[in-house]
Coordinates of all heavy atoms in Angstrom, one line a residue:
V248 N 1.0 -1.1 0.0 CA -0.1 0.0 0.0 C 0.9 1.3 0.0 O 1.1 1.8 1.0 CB -1.0 0.0 1.2 CG1 -2.1 -0.9 1.0 CG2 -0.2 -0.4 2.4
P249 N 1.4 1.6 -1.1 CA 2.4 2.7 -1.2 C 1.7 4.2 -0.9 O 2.4 5.1 -0.7 CB 2.8 2.8 -2.6 CG 1.8 2.0 -3.4 CD 1.2 1.0 -2.5
G250 N 0.3 4.2 -0.8 CA -0.3 5.5 -0.6 C -0.4 5.8 0.9 O -1.2 6.7 1.2
I251 N 0.2 5.0 1.8 CA -0.1 5.3 3.3 C 1.3 5.6 3.8 O 2.4 5.1 3.6 CB -0.5 4.0 3.9 CG1 -1.9 3.7 3.5 CG2 -0.3 4.0 5.4 CD1 -2.5 2.3 4.2
D252 N 1.3 6.5 4.8 CA 2.4 6.9 5.6 C 2.3 6.0 6.7 O 1.6 6.2 7.8 CB 2.3 8.4 6.2 CG 3.3 8.7 7.2 OD1 4.4 7.9 7.3 OD2 3.2 9.8 7.8
A253 N 3.0 4.9 6.8 CA 2.9 3.8 7.6 C 3.7 4.0 9.0 O 3.8 3.1 9.9 CB 3.4 2.4 7.1
R254 N 4.5 5.1 9.0 CA 5.3 5.4 10.2 C 6.2 4.3 10.5 O 6.3 3.6 11.7 CB 4.4 5.7 11.5 CG 3.5 6.9 11.3 CD 4.4 8.2 11.1 NE 5.5 8.4 12.1 CZ 5.2 9.1 13.3 NH1 4.0 9.6 13.4 NH2 6.2 9.1 14.1
E255 N 7.1 3.9 9.6 CA 8.0 2.7 9.8 C 9.0 3.1 10.9 O 9.5 2.1 11.5 CB 8.8 2.5 8.4 CG 7.8 1.7 7.5 CD 8.6 1.1 6.3 OE1 9.9 1.2 6.3 OE2 8.0 0.6 5.3
D256 N 9.3 4.4 11.0 CA 10.2 4.7 12.2 C 9.6 4.3 13.5 O 10.4 3.8 14.4 CB 10.4 6.2 12.3 CG 9.0 7.0 12.4 OD1 8.0 6.5 11.9 OD2 9.1 8.1 13.0
V257 N 8.3 4.2 13.8 CA 7.7 3.8 15.0 C 7.9 2.3 15.1 O 8.1 1.7 16.1 CB 6.2 4.3 15.1 CG1 5.6 3.6 16.3 CG2 6.1 5.8 15.1
L258 N 7.7 1.6 13.9 CA 7.7 0.2 13.9 C 9.1 -0.3 14.3 O 9.4 -1.3 15.0 CB 7.3 -0.4 12.6 CG 5.9 0.0 12.0 CD1 5.3 -0.7 10.9 CD2 4.7 -0.1 13.2
R259 N 10.1 0.3 13.7 CA 11.5 -0.1 14.0 C 11.8 0.2 15.4 O 12.7 -0.5 15.9 CB 12.4 0.6 13.0 CG 12.2 0.3 11.5 CD 13.3 0.7 10.6 NE 12.9 0.5 9.2 CZ 13.1 -0.7 8.6 NH1 13.6 -1.7 9.3 NH2 12.8 -1.0 7.3
A260 N 11.3 1.3 15.9 CA 11.6 1.5 17.3 C 11.0 0.4 18.3 O 11.7 0.0 19.2 CB 11.0 2.9 17.8
V261 N 9.8 -0.2 17.9 CA 9.3 -1.2 18.6 C 10.2 -2.5 18.5 O 10.5 -3.2 19.6 CB 7.9 -1.6 18.1 CG1 7.3 -2.8 18.8 CG2 7.0 -0.4 18.3
L262 N 10.6 -2.8 17.3 CA 11.7 -3.9 17.2 C 12.9 -3.6 18.0 O 13.5 -4.6 18.6 CB 12.0 -4.0 15.7 CG 10.9 -4.6 14.8 CD1 11.3 -4.5 13.2 CD2 10.6 -6.0 15.1
A263 N 13.3 -2.5 18.1 CA 14.6 -2.2 18.7 C 14.7 -2.2 20.2 O 15.6 -2.8 20.9 CB 15.1 -0.7 18.4
D264 N 13.7 -1.7 20.9 CA 13.6 -1.7 22.3 C 12.4 -2.4 23.0 O 12.4 -2.6 24.2 CB 13.5 -0.2 22.8 CG 12.2 0.6 22.3 OD1 11.3 -0.1 22.1 OD2 12.3 1.7 22.4
G265 N 11.6 -3.0 22.2 CA 10.5 -3.8 22.8 C 9.4 -3.2 23.4 O 8.4 -3.8 23.9
E266 N 9.3 -1.7 23.4 CA 8.3 -1.1 24.1 C 7.1 -1.0 23.2 O 7.3 -0.5 21.9 CB 8.8 0.4 24.3 CG 9.9 0.5 25.5 CD 9.2 0.1 26.8 OE1 7.9 0.3 27.1 OE2 9.9 -0.5 27.6
P267 N 5.9 -1.5 23.5 CA 4.7 -1.2 22.7 C 4.6 0.2 22.3 O 4.7 1.1 23.2 CB 3.6 -1.9 23.4 CG 4.3 -2.7 24.5 CD 5.6 -2.1 24.9
R268 N 4.0 0.4 21.2 CA 3.7 1.8 20.8 C 2.4 1.9 20.0 O 2.0 0.9 19.4 CB 4.8 2.4 19.9 CG 6.1 2.7 20.7 CD 7.1 3.2 19.8 NE 8.3 3.7 20.4 CZ 9.3 3.0 20.9 NH1 9.2 1.6 20.8 NH2 10.3 3.4 21.5
E269 N 1.9 3.0 20.0 CA 0.6 3.4 19.2 C 0.9 4.4 18.3 O 1.6 5.4 18.6 CB -0.7 3.6 20.1 CG -1.1 2.4 21.1 CD -2.4 2.8 21.9 OE1 -3.1 3.6 21.4 OE2 -2.6 2.1 22.8
T270 N 0.2 4.4 17.1 CA 0.5 5.6 16.2 C -0.7 5.6 15.2 O -1.5 4.7 15.1 CB 1.8 5.3 15.4 OG1 2.0 6.4 14.6 CG2 1.6 4.1 14.5
T271 N -0.9 6.9 14.6 CA -1.9 7.1 13.7 C -1.2 7.3 12.3 O -0.3 8.0 12.2 CB -2.7 8.3 14.0 OG1 -3.4 8.1 15.3 CG2 -3.8 8.5 13.0
S272 N -1.7 6.5 11.3 CA -1.2 6.7 9.9 C -2.5 7.1 9.0 O -3.6 7.1 9.4 CB -0.7 5.4 9.4 OG -1.6 4.4 9.6
S273 N -2.2 7.7 7.9 CA -3.2 8.2 7.0 C -2.8 8.1 5.6 O -1.6 7.8 5.3 CB -3.5 9.7 7.3 OG -2.5 10.5 7.0
G274 N -3.8 8.2 4.8 CA -3.4 8.1 3.3 C -4.6 7.3 2.6 O -5.8 7.3 3.0
H275 N -4.2 6.6 1.5 CA -5.2 5.7 0.7 C -4.5 4.4 0.5 O -3.3 4.2 0.3 CB -5.4 6.3 -0.6 CG -6.3 7.6 -0.5 ND1 -7.6 7.5 -0.3 CD2 -6.1 8.9 -0.5 CE1 -8.1 8.7 -0.1 NE2 -7.2 9.6 -0.3
T276 N -5.3 3.3 0.6 CA -5.0 2.1 0.3 C -5.5 1.6 -1.2 O -6.0 2.6 -1.8 CB -5.5 0.9 1.2 OG1 -7.0 0.9 1.2 CG2 -5.2 1.3 2.7
R277 N -5.5 0.3 -1.5 CA -6.0 0.1 -2.8 C -7.4 -0.3 -2.8 O -8.1 -0.4 -3.8 CB -5.2 -1.2 -3.4 CG -3.6 -1.0 -3.5 CD -3.0 -2.3 -4.0 NE -1.6 -2.2 -4.0 CZ -0.8 -1.6 -4.9 NH1 -1.4 -1.2 -5.9 NH2 0.4 -1.6 -4.8
A278 N -8.1 -0.1 -1.7 CA -9.5 -0.3 -1.5 C -10.2 0.9 -1.9 O -9.7 2.0 -1.8 CB -9.9 -0.7 -0.1
L279 N -11.3 0.7 -2.6 CA -12.1 1.9 -3.2 C -12.7 2.6 -2.0 O -13.1 2.0 -0.9 CB -13.2 1.4 -4.0 CG -12.8 0.7 -5.3 CD1 -14.0 0.2 -6.2 CD2 -12.0 1.8 -6.2

């Protein structure tokens, strides 16, 4: 889904330190 700002920086931070995180993303998927 290239049309979404998925906040990969947040996901990599979860992988790095194990702290659960919540985030909001926006954009468009391939769904109508």
Side-chain angles (χ1 to χ4, degrees):
V248 280
I251 287 180
D252 174 14
R254 297 302 306 273
E255 288 192 7
D256 56 326
V257 175
L258 307 189
R259 295 191 187 282
V261 173
L262 289 172
D264 61 21
E266 290 292 328
R268 287 176 171 82
E269 297 185 18
T270 185
T271 298
S272 55
S273 67
H275 287 285
T276 67
R277 299 181 190 273
L279 295 177

